[in-house]
Amino acid sequence: LVQVARALTTVPAGFCLHRKIERRLADQLEAVVDHKNVDWSLAELLALGSLLSEKFQVRLRGQDSIRGTFSQRHAAWFDTRTQDVYIPLNHIHEEQARFCVYNSMLSEAAVLGFDYGYSLVDPDILVIWEAQFGDFANGAQVIVDQFIAAALDKWQRASGLVMLLPHGYEGQGAEHSSAYLERYLTLCAEDNIQVCNLTTPAQYFHVLRRQLARRLRRPLVIMSPKSLLRHRRAVSPVDALVSDRFHEVLDDPSPPARPRRLALCSGKIFYDLLQGREAAGIDDVAIVRVEQLYPFNATLFRRIVEPYLGAETVVWVQEETRNRGAWSYMLPILREHLPDHEITHAGREPSASPATGSLRVHRKQQAAVVEGALGGPR
């Protein structure tokens, strides 16, 4: 990781890098060398760089993948005087594999179809397609339905394609909120795909590496974050990249001794719940995250929730509307594994549109979701 970090932070002699990018480099190198915390973007580049170092080729393509839609990645640098291009991840060491990153046209069906085919040609290449916003995958739905979700069953063709679909309710309106998580969950059967909604950079690091570290090849759909890219709490220690692994379910970081309520969630709503719990001084609500929705790791789930089975209430919390998100998928699973509990729901009311277009209304709704999840005002 140190070797990769040095490549990511070394500017070639005479190369005029944009000052805003250059200011970040010293902190990024220090984070890795001194075993500090890394954010989402750095964890991603470290994951890709480590695979390249192990001679696995990586291909990343999307509408704004070089810079990152939210100006977070900077996978290629541009000389501000000459416009020459420099890709740091192609300068780790002489025997590494090649990193290819492209900005693509706004024709999702064509681009995703091509990259899906690319993933079939060589299973030892990590092929990543990134939507600028998660709902952009709507334009490629025929590729998802006909090939990505069904090809293993129809033609015994396995793929390790990764789809990054930015997802999260940030008050930006309907078209910039939802990657339609529920749509992918309805396609899940017979271990055909993997669907994740992650909360930490370490989890992201490990799930990317897992795509090539094991012999199994399955498409991976990630509800990738927006606000978590710069969230002060969405960081991971470098040691978690080195010595830990991917966890399909994550326990409460501060488990209550006598839980009154068990809140189950997936994705960035976790940080809203954490903040709400602390602000209200609540010490009897446990928060458990389902990081991989499918395939669902029932054994790990039961082991983690066992200490909380004395809770009076079990609630599934999501920021999506009730007719969207993971609620319909998770309800029968939770009834099966928590048969002695009534499962309740905390989230937005059903809506034909994924999200409101008003920031004021969004904030009011989000506060109501958190309050309802934690048991109302105390």
Side-chain angles (χ1 to χ4, degrees):
L1 292 181
V2 170
Q3 187 179 33
V4 174
R6 292 195 188 282
L8 289 170
T9 57
T10 300
V11 183
F15 191 94
C16 289
L17 183 61
H18 195 289
R19 284 177 296 176
K20 287 186 177 180
I21 301 175
E22 191 169 15
R23 282 200 296 263
R24 302 171 37 178
L25 302 185
D27 290 340
Q28 289 179 329
L29 181 60
E30 181 184 353
V32 178
V33 172
D34 294 343
H35 295 246
K36 295 183 178 180
N37 290 331
V38 299
D39 63 10
W40 204 278
S41 305
L42 182 54
E44 175 188 70
L45 293 174
L46 290 172
L48 301 184
S50 67
L51 290 171
L52 294 166
S53 296
E54 297 168 18
K55 302 182 181 180
F56 291 108
Q57 185 176 333
V58 177
R59 172 186 175 86
L60 169 62
R61 190 159 69 146
Q63 285 91 355
D64 200 5
S65 289
I66 294 178
R67 180 196 68 161
T69 295
F70 310 100
S71 192
Q72 83 283 2
R73 179 177 292 124
H74 302 292
W77 297 341
F78 295 83
D79 191 302
T80 57
R81 292 182 306 182
T82 67
Q83 292 302 300
D84 288 344
V85 179
Y86 180 81
I87 300 178
L89 283 178
N90 280 332
H91 298 271
I92 303 170
H93 60 74
E94 292 183 357
E95 298 181 355
Q96 71 170 85
R98 185 183 176 204
F99 176 53
C100 304
V101 57
Y102 307 103
N103 289 340
S104 65
M105 59 183 177
L106 291 171
S107 180
E108 288 78 12
V111 178
L112 181 58
F114 184 91
D115 283 335
Y116 169 74
Y118 208 106
S119 72
L120 299 178
V121 173
D122 188 344
D124 290 329
I125 296 177
L126 182 64
V127 180
I128 305 173
W129 178 76
E130 180 179 50
Q132 193 163 39
F133 284 88
D135 64 287
F136 280 32
N138 291 342
Q141 198 59 39
V142 64
I143 303 297
V144 176
D145 292 344
Q146 299 296 115
F147 297 95
I148 293 173
L152 185 65
D153 188 38
K154 292 195 292 188
W155 308 304
Q156 289 75 56
R157 296 301 306 272
S159 165
L161 175 75
V162 177
M163 295 176 60
L164 300 181
L165 308 179
H167 177 83
Y169 284 51
E170 321 281 2
Q172 296 181 342
E175 267 58 69
H176 286 169
S177 295
S178 179
Y180 295 85
L181 171 61
E182 65 283 352
R183 176 183 294 160
Y184 296 93
L185 293 175
T186 62
L187 297 172
C188 294
E190 302 178 298
D191 293 328
N192 61 333
I193 60 175
Q194 307 162 93
V195 180
C196 294
N197 196 9
L198 311 173
T199 56
T200 73
Q203 287 282 87
Y204 185 42
F205 175 90
H206 289 299
V207 83
L208 286 178
R209 286 187 46 82
R210 187 180 70 169
Q211 281 298 95
L212 294 181
R214 58 183 182 180
R215 296 182 61 86
L216 179 72
R217 294 290 182 266
R218 294 291 186 274
L220 170 62
V221 180
I222 298 179
M223 300 290 111
S224 59
K226 293 178 285 184
S227 63
L228 295 192
L229 294 172
R230 294 178 175 86
H231 197 291
R232 63 182 181 84
R233 303 183 78 157
V235 295
S236 296
V238 169
D239 291 343
L241 311 187
V242 177
S243 59
D244 207 347
R245 60 179 295 275
F246 178 71
H247 302 274
E248 292 90 344
V249 184
L250 287 177
D251 198 357
D252 193 317
S254 303
R258 295 182 179 179
R260 166 184 58 91
R261 174 179 287 249
L262 170 59
L264 303 167
C265 66
S266 186
K268 83 171 187 69
I269 191 69
F270 163 73
Y271 292 100
D272 295 321
L273 294 174
L274 203 61
Q275 181 178 342
R277 185 173 70 175
E278 293 170 354
I282 296 173
D283 59 3
D284 56 1
V285 176
I287 308 172
V288 171
R289 289 162 278 174
V290 180
E291 299 275 295
Q292 179 173 289
L293 293 154
Y294 187 85
F296 184 75
N297 190 331
T299 302
L300 178 60
F301 176 78
R302 286 194 296 266
R303 185 165 72 242
I304 287 178
V305 301
E306 184 176 3
Y308 312 128
L309 294 183
E312 301 170 3
T313 305
V314 176
V315 56
W316 175 259
V317 189
Q318 63 180 39
E319 56 185 353
E320 299 91 349
T321 60
R322 191 182 184 99
N323 57 317
R324 301 181 185 274
W327 166 243
S328 297
Y329 166 80
M330 286 299 301
L331 181 57
I333 292 176
L334 297 179
R335 283 175 173 169
E336 176 185 355
H337 297 291
L338 301 171
D340 298 328
H341 291 79
E342 179 185 357
I343 312 300
T344 60
H345 169 271
R348 286 169 167 79
E349 291 301 312
S351 172
S353 172
T356 177
S358 165
L359 179 60
R360 179 183 61 82
V361 173
H362 160 78
R363 288 174 174 167
K364 183 177 180 180
Q365 291 176 343
Q366 197 79 353
V369 171
V370 173
E371 184 178 291
L374 297 176
R378 295 166 62 78

